[in-house]
């Protein structure tokens, strides 16, 4: 998977969670919910320290593209702190973009460390009702080509 494809997968996860959030009373951002849902299986795979390191690295990489994430921190248990405050302190679109960049960086690191097959299997296990697979539709591939 290339960088645009990992960003596309991240955007699909965020869109899925945004829709799910509209149907619930959750006030957390979609990015926060994606991280929280990925946290459990990744802690099982890597331990708390491993997941915290992975998420911290993703956050560091994301801050280079979205400085607004400077208020976001990774807690000792691997949870995110400050992402929801970011949405209330800055432009909601800016906060949403920062969250998307963070999730894309996390997905990119997963692809690097555990590979595409295992990453997609993990995503499918966390969101079994969603249609995430290795194939990107021709229309989606064209959009990805335009972003390169």
């Amino acid at each position: 998977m290339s960088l645009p494809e990992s960003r596309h997968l991240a955007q699909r996860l965020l869109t899925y969670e945004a829709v799910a959030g509209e149907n619930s009373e959750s006030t957390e951002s979609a990015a926060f919910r994606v991280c929280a849902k990925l946290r459990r299986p990744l802690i099982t795979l890597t331990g708390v320290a491993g997941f915290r390191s992975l998420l911290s690295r993703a956050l560091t990489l994301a801050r280079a593209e979205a400085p607004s994430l400077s208020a976001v921190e990774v807690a000792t248990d691997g949870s995110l702190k400050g992402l929801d405050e970011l949405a209330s302190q800055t432009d909601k679109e800016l906060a949403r973009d920062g969250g998307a960049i963070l999730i894309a960086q996390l997905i990119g690191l997963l692809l690097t460390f555990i590979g595409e097959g295992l990453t997609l299997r993990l995503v499918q296990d966390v969101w079994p009702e969603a249609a995430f697979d290795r194939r990107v539709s021709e229309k989606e591939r064209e959009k990805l080509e335009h972003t390169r």
Side-chain angles (χ1 to χ4, degrees), residues 27-109:
T27 59
E28 298 172 331
S29 71
F32 182 89
R33 288 193 307 274
V34 169
C35 282
K37 286 185 176 184
L38 288 173
R39 184 172 161 249
R40 282 189 209 115
L42 288 172
I43 283 177
T44 301
L45 183 66
T46 66
V48 174
F51 177 69
R52 187 171 188 276
S53 294
L54 187 70
L55 188 55
S56 293
R57 180 64 183 149
L59 183 56
T60 298
L61 294 169
R63 283 180 182 146
E65 289 182 67
S68 61
L69 291 172
S70 63
V72 178
E73 296 179 1
V74 180
T76 55
D77 67 352
S79 62
L80 282 176
K81 292 189 177 199
L83 198 58
D84 289 331
E85 290 82 15
L86 174 68
S88 64
Q89 294 173 0
T90 62
D91 178 15
K92 289 192 186 250
E93 189 173 324
L94 185 65
R96 188 175 50 246
D97 291 346
I101 291 167
L102 174 60
I103 299 303
Q105 291 293 348
L106 181 59
I107 296 290
L109 289 172

